[in-house]
Structures are given as structure tokens and as C-alpha cells.
Amino acid sequence: MKALSYLSLLLVLMLSACTSQPKLERVDANKEIELTDKWNARDSREVAEAMMDDMLSFPWYLDFRMSRDDAMPRVIVQTIRNKSHEHIPVDTFINDIKRSLLRSGKIDFVAGGAERDEIRDEKLDQELNSSAETLKALGQEYGADYALTGEINSYVDSLNSKRVTYYQVDLKLIDILTNREVWIGQKKIQKLMTR
């Protein structure tokens, strides 16, 4: 009986030694790593950069600059909806868009939604608690000239060991004063995964 117990213990130890332990490796955040055909950081960045380059090449931009003494247009990002089959962190995509445009030096952004509400709360707090020299008064916000909105769609097609995942991002820029759509952009990504 004792020998059987030792044998069982030895077997358990051998089996636990044979099981592979997960390996963790830190990698450069800029290194591209794709494990699946799902939307990833590279997709987000590449789509944002391509679409914003396209947006700035349309006539609305030069028309605005010429009519406003070379002032930069102010943009507010409204809703970009994820209508795809998977969870896509839309906030990360929006930040990639903003980063691309701000880096260009051709667009100013104004805060919207919850960010704007938080800033307004801060200004109200300053009205009560800040010195006159450092107070940021209410009613001094810049208004947006344009609103950026859009959606991300996808579909998946598979047969046997192959799967194609297709993403389509549609964005539009709307002149807030006139409600005129001044730019409509579209970017497609298609990924083939074989098992």
C-alpha cells in the first residue's frame, strides 16, 4: 500500500513537471504581433492614419483655411459606433485619429461628451475656489467647426480551414454650421487566416 502511495505521488510529480507553464515575454509596444484575424492595434493605427490623410486632402480643408485667414479648423469627435462582430475598443481608435490629426498640425480638437463635462465642472470649481489670477472663466470655450462621426462594420466568411474577416470603417466630417457633409472616407481591411 505504501509503495502504491509513493508510486502515485511520483506519477503526480512527473505529470506536473511535464505540463508546460505559460511563458511571459515583454516586447516593444511598437513591435507588430498578430495572433489572430481580429482587429488589433496595427489595424487601428493604420486605418486612422490613412483616413485622416485622405480627409485632409479633400477641398473642404483648403476652402476653410482660405476663408478664415489660415485658421485651423476645430473638430469634435462625436460617435464612432462599433457595429462589428467583435469587441473593438473604439476609444483607442478615436485616440489614434486624434493623434494622427494633431501630429499633422492642421487640426484643432475640442473636447466633447464626458471630457467636456469634466472640464466644465472644473471651471465651476475654479469659480468658487481659484484666485482671480489663475481662474479659467466660463464661456471661453472654442466652438467646433466640424463634427467627425462614423462606424466600424465587419463580417466573417469561413470554409473548412480558412476564414476571411473583413472590416470596413466609414467616417464622415460634417460642417456644424450648415450640416453639409464635407468628407466621407472609407477604409477596408481583409484578413485571411488558415488553420
Side-chain angles (χ1 to χ4, degrees), residues 34-38 157-165 190-195:
E34 292 193 67
L35 302 175
T36 70
D37 58 343
K38 293 183 177 183
D157 191 16
S158 62
L159 181 63
N160 299 326
S161 63
K162 293 187 177 185
R163 180 170 72 196
V164 175
T165 305
Q190 187 166 255
K191 297 181 176 188
L192 172 65
M193 189 166 85
T194 304
R195 293 186 185 264

Side-chain angles (χ1 to χ4, degrees), residues 2-146:
K2 211 175 196 182
L4 188 56
S5 295
Y6 285 126
L7 187 58
S8 296
L9 180 61
L10 183 60
L11 185 59
V12 168
L13 289 174
M14 286 175 47
L15 285 175
S16 66
C18 291
T19 60
S20 64
Q21 297 295 320
K23 180 183 174 191
L24 175 64
E25 178 183 351
R26 290 192 180 267
V27 294
D28 182 354
N30 295 318
K31 183 178 179 182
E32 302 297 338
I33 301 172
E34 292 193 67
L35 302 175
T36 70
D37 58 343
K38 293 183 177 183
W39 179 274
N40 59 40
R42 179 180 178 177
D43 298 327
S44 179
R45 187 180 62 257
E46 286 181 0
V47 168
E49 289 174 1
M51 292 188 86
M52 295 307 97
D53 286 347
D54 183 61
M55 186 178 85
L56 292 173
S57 73
F58 267 59
W60 73 270
Y61 181 75
L62 285 177
D63 292 346
F64 181 91
R65 295 290 303 256
M66 290 174 59
S67 69
R68 305 275 177 94
D69 295 327
D70 283 339
M72 289 195 298
R74 292 183 185 97
V75 175
I76 187 168
V77 178
Q78 299 212 296
T79 305
I80 297 179
R81 290 179 177 82
N82 176 19
K83 294 185 172 181
S84 74
H85 70 285
E86 67 184 74
H87 170 72
I88 293 177
V90 175
D91 288 342
T92 301
F93 178 56
I94 290 171
N95 287 335
D96 285 338
I97 288 170
K98 288 180 177 180
R99 185 172 171 14
S100 176
L101 287 174
L102 288 172
R103 189 176 339 133
S104 76
K106 297 179 177 180
I107 299 287
D108 274 340
F109 279 100
V110 295
E115 287 177 330
R116 179 175 49 201
D117 292 341
E118 288 177 10
I119 296 297
R120 287 177 178 166
D121 288 345
E122 173 61 24
K123 288 180 197 174
L124 285 170
D125 185 68
Q126 287 188 15
E127 287 281 332
L128 298 172
N129 301 306
S130 295
S131 66
E133 302 84 40
T134 62
L135 174 71
K136 305 303 180 270
L138 293 167
Q140 302 299 310
E141 297 176 17
Y142 288 133
D145 301 301
Y146 298 93

